[in-house]
Amino acid sequence: MTHDQALKSGSTDELLLESKIEDLRNELDEMVKEEEYRDKEFSNPGLLVGLKAFIQDLRTKFGSLDDVYVWQALCGYWGGIRPGATKLDTKLVPAKSPPGLDQTMIDSASVNLVKGCIGLVDPDQAKEFYDLMHSHLAKAGVTGVKMDVINSLEFVSEGYGGQVELAKIYYQGLTQSIMKNFNGTGAISSMQQCNDFIFLGTQQISMGRAGDDFWVKDPHGDVMGSYWLQGAHMVHCAYNSLWLGQVILPDWDMFRSDHVCSEFHAASRAICGGPIYVSDPVGSTNFDLLRKLVFSDGTVPKCIHCALPTRDCLFKYPLSDSKTMLKIWNLNKFSGVIGAFNCQGAGWDPKEKTIRSYPNCYIPVSGRIHKQDIEWDQDDQTKELSNAKAYAVYLHKSNQLLILENESLDGVHIDLKPSSFEILTFVPLMEINKKIKFAPVGLVNMFNSGGTVVNMEIRDSGACVKVKGEGELLVFSSERPWRCMLNGIEKEFDWHCDGRATLQISWDDERGGVSEVYFGYKNF
């Protein structure tokens, strides 16, 4: 029977056979093409093909590209390694969900794992398994890997001595391969919030995801648009960092700069202390937003700690108690920073074992923020900053500059609409003399303005501030400076009687983007 006859007669078996033949033909064509590429590369070593050629193209087009990482699962892929696909001994092992996991959140990745098997490479070959993959990638120009599905060993440990024994062997092989092929540090992780990773996998992996994926929208349907789910992501990252931040650098995950809540996410990433990266579709990047996060050279004004919830948030629920705002604190070299976020509108559903929307909680919230909310003593560089008698406090969204006396118990009052935020930078006031008070806020066009201040010192009858980036520099000066020098050249600046002094700064490639600004005073 021909294909056309099968179509007319409705023979399902014949159609399936034809479809299978077509799939095999396409697979064979791909194998032939791959073999031809290998032959060409072998006969002409100067000819680059495949991944190696792609990475070289990337580095040619993007000269500032430092690293190229490749995604992989701990067992190779989501379902492991297909038996017979490599020279390694691989066995299909039924995936069984651990009893404890069944009592927690239902995750589609875990659900799909237990529907089938995982192709598990014999543990005795774990070292060879990782080296085969990573050496191939390294030769192509890959500088690191993102390890995912790290919880998969939990599902297949029965028959291999248990989860701990199986994990010991696999992580030993992984660690040795990273040291050999990726300079010992070329690895980050995801889906790694399991104890075997925390105790065994962190010898060479120093950064891991602190929360669930960034979801553009709820896959189950957005009752309240795409808003409520974004606050849940932020709360999970903040609270998980209390544990993960003691072991690794928490990664708050990517986000999309064109999303309806992109600024909400960007503000939290700016002060999280971890990496900042986006997953934009080609052609839809919001560069104006990214310029609030990233310098012209691709570096970021990163905080020196990991962001954590303030103490007064620890035993409250800023997702669905209708009153608590999430407050997270972090540190810069010369300042502290607090991000206040209204994440209300979501919560845990114990019956459905998932996070769902709570529209009745999607309401404005109010609160107060104090300088004591910042854990200044968590870093040796910032311990002394807690002893100031007063602070200049800059509010990013409202563009306000306040002076907060240390004796004040009221703090700063904040009102936040749903899915909105404010970032407050606390800068200790320094005394140039008994009369003049000074505080460098930083570049206020950046979310983390305090992170742009590289150095600050009192000298030569004034204050010298080194700042990285471009835009508007803001400092508090209780008296009008007599002069302002930018990289040794006198410049015009604005000063207001409330102490607000501003100066426009351009990026200077020769100085690595760092400008030296000197404010001099006659009455020193």
Side-chain angles (χ1 to χ4, degrees):
M1 181 182 292
T2 66
H3 184 262
D4 291 338
Q5 289 173 331
L7 285 173
K8 291 178 180 178
S9 64
S11 174
T12 304
D13 291 340
E14 290 290 341
L15 287 174
L16 290 175
L17 180 59
E18 287 285 341
S19 177
K20 182 65 174 177
I21 291 173
E22 184 65 25
D23 289 342
L24 290 172
R25 183 182 292 114
N26 291 334
E27 186 175 344
L28 181 60
D29 288 342
E30 289 298 320
M31 291 173 64
V32 171
K33 289 179 182 178
E34 185 175 346
E35 193 65 33
E36 288 175 349
Y37 276 135
R38 289 175 182 170
D39 291 342
K40 288 179 181 178
E41 190 170 13
F42 180 78
S43 60
N44 184 2
L47 177 65
L48 296 182
V49 295
L51 180 61
K52 192 172 185 178
F54 174 66
I55 292 176
Q56 179 166 297
D57 287 345
L58 284 177
R59 293 195 177 280
T60 300
K61 187 172 183 180
F62 305 102
S64 61
L65 182 63
D66 292 324
D67 292 289
V68 177
Y69 276 43
V70 169
W71 179 97
Q72 73 161 92
L74 185 64
C75 291
Y77 195 63
W78 286 93
I81 301 296
R82 184 174 60 191
T86 70
K87 66 177 184 179
L88 301 171
D89 296 328
T90 306
K91 179 181 177 181
L92 289 178
V93 182
K96 297 181 181 180
S97 179
L101 189 62
D102 288 335
Q103 304 304 312
T104 60
M105 184 175 181
I106 297 175
D107 181 83
S108 59
S110 300
V111 170
N112 287 321
L113 279 179
V114 299
K115 286 181 180 179
C117 299
I118 292 178
L120 188 69
V121 172
D122 189 295
D124 291 338
Q125 296 179 318
K127 179 180 177 181
E128 184 181 6
F129 164 54
Y130 287 118
D131 187 49
L132 281 171
M133 285 193 296
H134 295 164
S135 61
H136 171 74
L137 294 174
K139 288 176 183 176
V142 172
T143 58
V145 288
K146 177 181 180 179
M147 302 297 301
D148 205 346
V149 205
I150 285 182
N151 63 338
S152 54
L153 292 181
E154 238 180 316
F155 292 79
V156 292
S157 59
E158 188 175 320
Y160 291 94
Q163 178 183 348
V164 174
E165 294 305 315
L166 181 62
K168 281 181 179 178
I169 298 172
Y170 259 76
Y171 282 119
Q172 183 181 32
L174 174 63
T175 294
Q176 291 175 352
S177 180
I178 293 172
M179 292 176 68
K180 174 187 173 183
N181 297 294
F182 300 127
N183 296 321
T185 57
I188 58 177
S189 61
S190 184
M191 288 181 69
Q192 83 299 319
Q193 294 185 31
C194 46
N195 288 336
D196 51 355
F197 169 82
I198 295 297
F199 289 102
L200 300 171
T202 53
Q203 183 176 342
Q204 301 303 135
I205 302 177
S206 59
M207 184 167 66
R209 281 268 302 281
D212 193 8
D213 294 340
F214 160 74
W215 294 100
V216 177
K217 59 182 179 180
D218 182 2
H220 305 294
D222 285 350
V223 179
M224 298 148 57
S226 298
Y227 293 92
W228 68 273
L229 194 62
Q230 312 310 316
H233 175 97
M234 199 173 298
V235 169
H236 293 160
C237 287
Y239 284 82
N240 285 341
S241 293
L242 283 165
W243 161 232
L244 293 177
Q246 309 306 312
V247 185
I248 56 176
L249 178 64
D251 170 6
W252 284 44
D253 197 22
M254 63 193 76
F255 68 101
R256 279 178 51 169
S257 67
D258 67 338
H259 191 267
V260 66
C261 292
S262 60
E263 190 179 32
F264 192 60
H265 278 282
S268 71
R269 305 306 194 277
I271 63 172
C272 74
I276 298 174
Y277 51 115
V278 294
S279 53
D280 294 333
V282 176
S284 63
T285 298
N286 182 348
F287 288 101
D288 288 338
L289 179 65
L290 296 187
R291 290 187 185 98
K292 295 183 178 182
L293 293 166
V294 184
F295 294 131
S296 297
D297 63 355
T299 60
V300 298
K302 194 171 79 72
C303 292
I304 61 178
H305 201 269
C306 64
L308 297 175
T310 57
R311 290 180 183 244
D312 59 344
C313 286
L314 289 182
F315 298 101
K316 296 184 180 177
Y317 198 48
L319 281 176
S320 58
D321 67 1
S322 301
K323 60 183 180 181
T324 303
M325 65 173 64
L326 172 68
K327 297 191 297 182
I328 58 176
W329 65 269
N330 212 329
L331 302 167
N332 292 305
K333 190 175 180 181
F334 297 96
S335 62
V337 60
I338 291 181
F341 300 86
N342 185 348
C343 300
Q344 294 287 333
W348 177 254
D349 187 323
K351 184 177 180 181
E352 297 296 328
K353 295 181 182 177
T354 188
I355 294 289
R356 69 170 178 86
S357 61
Y358 282 79
N360 58 302
C361 301
Y362 197 67
I363 59 175
V365 294
S366 300
R368 289 194 173 274
I369 297 176
H370 304 81
K371 73 99 177 178
Q372 297 96 319
D373 291 330
I374 301 170
E375 306 283 341
W376 302 94
D377 61 351
Q378 292 302 302
D379 193 281
D380 290 338
Q381 298 181 76
T382 58
K383 283 182 180 179
E384 295 301 318
L385 301 184
S386 64
N387 299 325
K389 296 179 180 179
Y391 294 80
V393 184
Y394 178 72
L395 285 69
H396 177 86
K397 287 288 286 184
S398 59
N399 191 25
Q400 294 183 53
L401 182 62
L402 310 174
I403 299 301
L404 189 66
E405 299 293 335
N406 206 16
E407 294 77 14
S408 174
L409 300 177
D410 293 335
V412 182
H413 179 82
I414 298 291
D415 296 311
L416 294 177
K417 295 179 180 179
S419 299
S420 67
F421 71 93
E422 183 62 271
I423 295 179
L424 298 89
T425 299
F426 286 72
V427 190
L429 290 188
M430 300 179 180
E431 293 186 351
I432 294 180
N433 58 25
K434 293 183 179 180
K435 187 177 181 183
I436 302 172
K437 306 296 187 296
F438 186 90
V441 175
L443 297 176
V444 294
N445 46 290
M446 307 291 285
F447 283 121
N448 183 25
S449 56
T452 67
V453 179
V454 176
N455 195 28
M456 162 67 199
E457 58 181 321
I458 306 299
R459 73 181 192 198
D460 300 333
S461 305
C464 185
V465 181
K466 285 187 178 180
V467 60
K468 182 172 181 177
E470 58 186 323
E472 183 178 88
L473 171 65
L474 170 64
V475 303
F476 172 81
S477 178
S478 58
E479 288 194 7
R480 180 182 178 86
W482 169 56
R483 68 190 310 191
C484 175
M485 307 285 288
L486 175 60
N487 296 326
I489 301 174
E490 191 153 351
K491 291 289 183 180
E492 293 292 329
F493 65 96
D494 292 322
W495 181 84
H496 300 275
C497 57
D498 61 356
R500 189 180 185 119
T502 58
L503 173 72
Q504 292 299 318
I505 292 179
S506 299
W507 181 270
D508 190 337
D509 276 323
E510 293 183 359
R511 296 173 176 266
V514 177
S515 298
E516 183 174 282
V517 184
Y518 172 75
F519 293 93
Y521 299 86
K522 281 186 175 181
N523 300 322
F524 184 77

